[in-house]
């Protein structure tokens, strides 16, 4: 899930939230974008890696993958999306009440280690849950800053910054998970202190994590902190360097694309966001891609940025999209989104029209779960690189 502001080293070894005050005078938290060297953690005693089982929020198509963390003393279990498109932690709280009723809520009054930071904020997302485009700021969280202990498996980040959700727009109310834990591409602390993952690394956890976000029909999805699980993929991992100015954003520079084998020379910086399901491309590129799939794919007026086609036409279409990147050794490689991802389900306002995978969003290019579930992915914060391998299912 990507907020409205993104913050923008790769060792050759072989997107933050915008927080806006809810008070009368706007407050902004400015985040730094320097990266701690991988060697900084090597002298510390290593922590054991942690595997986190992930559930798939499946509503006719794979939407989000989420898992358990604990907050407070004694620990209270909440469910969060592990989001590479952000750096902060937000969790549903009992202060939110009815708008958060479907989600497990953290009760700060029952935690002996909770510290109220005394500041209120709201966050406005530029990508919604699942495949929803954002319309009229309908994905907003109202937050209160505090600090408490956060646990993932046997790992604990002590007295770390947390935003508890005090209210949320209706779009969030159906989500089975109650928060977002950011896994951005930096270990550098910001004005709130280190991220949860950076805190684990400072204690000796290797500075990388891996994602196995499988389709709902496959199951056994998993986040691994501090390790690569070689049983989850075939062949070898292909690594690519992050751009030098990436900041907290997981992104790679693409040199070209191919749609059904027809090559497009459209260099793009592509953001990889595990908290978003579909694809966002600039309008011109979106139109160019859809023109190569079917002239019947049209903008859907009721949801700006979204496109659709009569559902009866979907089985007739081929829509294979390959994006070309560059390996650490300079060789090109492709990541491919298969035809099966084109249809993301009928529109609520017209069940005869099915939404298609790419939404137009000028200003950035982003891929999410629709690509990631076809690859085992390694997010190497210390070496500032990403790795991909075909999954073995």
């Amino acid at each position: 899930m990507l907020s409205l502001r993104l913050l923008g080293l790769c060792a050759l070894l072989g997107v933050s939230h915008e927080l806006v005050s809810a008070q009368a005078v706007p407050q902004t938290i400015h985040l730094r974008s320097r990266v701690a060297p991988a060697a900084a953690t090597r002298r510390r005693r290593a922590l054991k890696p942690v595997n986190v089982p992930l559930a798939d929020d499946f509503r006719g198509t794979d939407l989000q993958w989420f898992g358990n963390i604990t907050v407070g003393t004694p620990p209270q279990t909440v469910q969060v999306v592990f989001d590479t498109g952000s750096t902060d932690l937000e969790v549903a709280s009992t202060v939110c009440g009815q708008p958060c009723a479907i989600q497990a809520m953290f009760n700060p009054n029952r935690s002996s280690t909770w510290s109220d930071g005394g500041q209120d904020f709201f966050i406005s997302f530029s990508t919604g849950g699942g495949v929803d485009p954002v319309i009229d700021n309908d994905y907003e969280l109202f937050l209160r800053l505090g600090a408490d202990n956060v646990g993932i498996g046997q790992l604990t980040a002590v007295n770390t910054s947390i935003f508890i959700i005090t209210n949320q727009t209706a779009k969030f109310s159906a989500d089975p998970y109650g928060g977002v834990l950011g896994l951005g591409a930096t270990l550098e602390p910001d004005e709130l202190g280190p991220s949860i993952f950076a805190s684990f690394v400072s204690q000796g956890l290797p500075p990388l994590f891996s994602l196995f976000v499988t389709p709902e029909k496959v199951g056994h999805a998993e986040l691994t902190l501090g390790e690569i699980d070689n049983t989850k993929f075939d062949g070898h991992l292909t690594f690519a360097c992050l751009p030098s100015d990436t900041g907290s954003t997981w992104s790679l520079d693409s040199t070209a694309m191919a749609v059904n084998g027809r090559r497009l020379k459209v260099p793009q910086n592509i953001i990889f966001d595990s908290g978003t399901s579909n694809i966002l491309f600039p309008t011109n590129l979106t139109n160019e891609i859809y023109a190569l799939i079917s002239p019947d794919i049209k903008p859907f007026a009721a949801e700006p940025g979204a496109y659709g086609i009569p559902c009866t036409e979907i089985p007739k279409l081929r829509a294979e999209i390959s994006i070309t990147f560059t390996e650490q050794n300079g060789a090109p490689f492709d990541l491919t989104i298969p035809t099966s991802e084109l249809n993301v389900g009928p529109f609520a306002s017209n069940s005869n029209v099915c939404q298609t995978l790419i939404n137009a969003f000028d200003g950035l290019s982003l891929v999410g779960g629709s690509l990631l579930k076809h690859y085992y992915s390694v997010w190497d914060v210390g070496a500032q690189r990403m790795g991909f391998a075909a999954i073995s299912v």
Side-chain angles (χ1 to χ4, degrees), residues 139-157:
Y139 278 94
E140 290 187 338
L141 296 178
F142 297 83
L143 309 167
R144 187 162 183 87
L145 176 62
D148 211 329
N149 300 340
V150 176
I152 304 178
Q154 73 267 27
L155 305 175
T156 303

Side-chain angles (χ1 to χ4, degrees), residues 323-334:
I323 308 174
T324 303
F325 301 97
T326 304
E327 292 187 51
Q328 288 184 162
N329 64 9
F333 72 98
D334 289 343

Side-chain angles (χ1 to χ4, degrees), residues 27-47:
Q27 302 177 44
T28 301
I29 297 176
H30 299 286
L31 305 183
R32 296 186 296 275
S33 304
R34 295 189 300 277
V35 178
T41 64
R42 291 175 183 166
R43 294 185 296 274
R44 301 180 180 92
R45 185 176 179 180
L47 295 181

Side-chain angles (χ1 to χ4, degrees), residues 257 259 264 281 285-293 321 358:
M257 296 184 189
V259 182
L264 302 173
F281 282 150
L285 177 58
T286 300
N287 289 334
E288 190 172 0
I289 291 173
Y290 280 145
L292 295 175
I293 297 173
I321 301 170
I358 306 170

Side-chain angles (χ1 to χ4, degrees), residues 68-72 74-78 89 149-153 155-156 162:
N68 290 342
I69 66 169
T70 62
V71 181
Q76 302 175 40
T77 299
V78 294
L89 171 62
N149 300 340
V150 176
I152 304 178
L155 305 175
T156 303
I162 302 171

Side-chain angles (χ1 to χ4, degrees), residues 52-58 62 64-66 211-223 232 373 376 391-393:
V52 183
L54 302 179
D56 185 358
D57 181 17
F58 186 79
D62 303 288
Q64 302 272 20
W65 291 264
F66 60 96
L211 278 173
F212 184 60
V213 284
T214 58
E216 188 264 352
K217 62 183 179 182
V218 174
H220 307 292
E222 192 171 71
L223 164 70
K232 294 292 197 300
K373 69 184 179 186
Y376 186 84
I391 61 173
S392 53
V393 294

Side-chain angles (χ1 to χ4, degrees), residues 44 127 167 274 294:
R44 301 180 180 92
T127 62
N167 200 355
S274 64
S294 171

